[in-house]
Amino acid sequence: MIDIRAFAARLSEIPEEQFTDSAVLEYMRDNPVSVASLRPYLYFSAKHYTRNLILHTPLFDLIAICWESGQKSRIHNHTNQRCWMGMAFGRVQVQNYRLVRQDPTTQFCELAPTNRYVIDADNPAEVESEEPIHLIVNPPAFASRAVTLHIYSRPFDECEVYDLKSKRYETVNLSYTSELGLLTSSLSVENVGQPGVSGGGPRTSKAFSG
């Protein structure tokens, strides 16, 4: 296990031409992060998963996402950018989708579910460039909070989200619950020392989307 500061520093040393799908995935697999070192970014909310920026560079963003049991993302894409996901605590499930049809003039879309897999401490994953639409969930059956680490390259601040029921999609802006350890949202959150242990109660932060 390594400290998140060492993880971020070494990640920053990877040259842009070597910042490839396989190289970054191998880096995540070979450098598991100590969850204790993530304490400044461990904000949980009963209302929504939280997005916490650890490091921003022109090449990538490093983010910790904190999930209470049962929380999930909306179905979304990554606007043609690359993404890698690893676990600092717990595990999550990813459901991929194939885009069957899309009409930008009416915002109609039709998706078909494809493969599903679990990310745990030993198995980080990359978003498939051929099938970038997915949903992430921390199922109640896992009976635990979860903390995922995400590397986005290049950084992006909006994405498409999809609604299976209405068969429509929209572009939404992304923002953070905290940036570099400082709260930037009005969401009621709890900062904890360890994900499995309650912290000192809720703190107030500014609403975010994502």
Side-chain angles (χ1 to χ4, degrees):
M1 294 284 183
I2 68 170
D3 185 278
I4 185 59
R5 291 169 294 183
F7 179 93
R10 295 177 190 174
L11 185 65
S12 300
E13 292 172 356
I14 300 176
E16 181 175 350
E17 64 272 14
Q18 297 177 24
F19 212 87
T20 62
D21 292 350
S22 58
V24 175
L25 188 61
E26 182 178 357
Y27 177 82
M28 295 191 81
R29 187 178 292 117
D30 293 344
N31 294 276
V33 171
S34 161
V35 69
S37 70
L38 285 166
R39 192 191 188 288
Y41 318 104
L42 295 182
Y43 290 101
F44 286 86
S45 172
K47 293 184 177 181
H48 201 285
Y49 65 88
T50 68
R51 303 178 74 246
N52 305 282
L53 179 66
I54 298 170
L55 177 65
H56 168 78
T57 78
L59 181 58
F60 68 87
D61 278 343
L62 175 60
I63 298 170
I65 299 184
C66 299
W67 313 80
E68 291 284 9
S69 179
Q71 289 180 338
K72 63 181 179 180
S73 71
R74 299 170 73 178
I75 301 171
H76 63 283
N77 72 358
H78 283 167
T79 60
N80 298 316
Q81 303 301 327
R82 294 174 297 175
C83 175
W84 301 264
M85 301 175 286
M87 296 304 307
F89 184 85
R91 53 189 175 137
V92 295
Q93 181 175 280
V94 178
Q95 173 67 62
N96 283 340
Y97 293 86
R98 176 174 55 87
L99 182 62
V100 179
R101 285 188 294 161
Q102 184 176 28
D103 186 347
T105 61
T106 63
Q107 293 189 300
F108 170 86
C109 69
E110 183 177 353
L111 304 178
T114 55
N115 62 316
R116 179 186 300 176
Y117 58 91
V118 170
I119 301 175
D120 58 26
D122 296 322
N123 296 284
E126 59 184 301
V127 173
E128 300 176 19
S129 56
E130 301 81 12
E131 205 168 81
I133 300 172
H134 60 277
L135 170 150
I136 304 172
V137 60
N138 180 18
F142 288 179
S144 173
R145 283 172 165 169
V147 180
T148 49
L149 286 177
H150 299 244
I151 300 168
Y152 299 136
S153 182
R154 293 187 180 268
F156 58 93
D157 57 11
E158 65 179 23
C159 70
E160 291 181 354
V161 297
Y162 307 84
D163 188 307
L164 291 178
K165 186 175 181 180
S166 67
K167 293 189 175 183
R168 293 181 64 82
Y169 74 97
E170 62 178 325
T171 299
V172 300
N173 294 321
L174 301 172
S175 56
Y176 297 109
T177 309
S178 70
E179 297 183 30
L180 311 181
L182 300 176
L183 289 169
T184 55
S185 119
S186 60
L187 196 66
S188 179
V189 297
E190 179 187 7
N191 180 231
V192 303
Q194 295 285 349
V197 180
S198 295
R203 295 174 60 184
T204 300
S205 52
K206 246 176 160 87
F208 77 106
S209 61

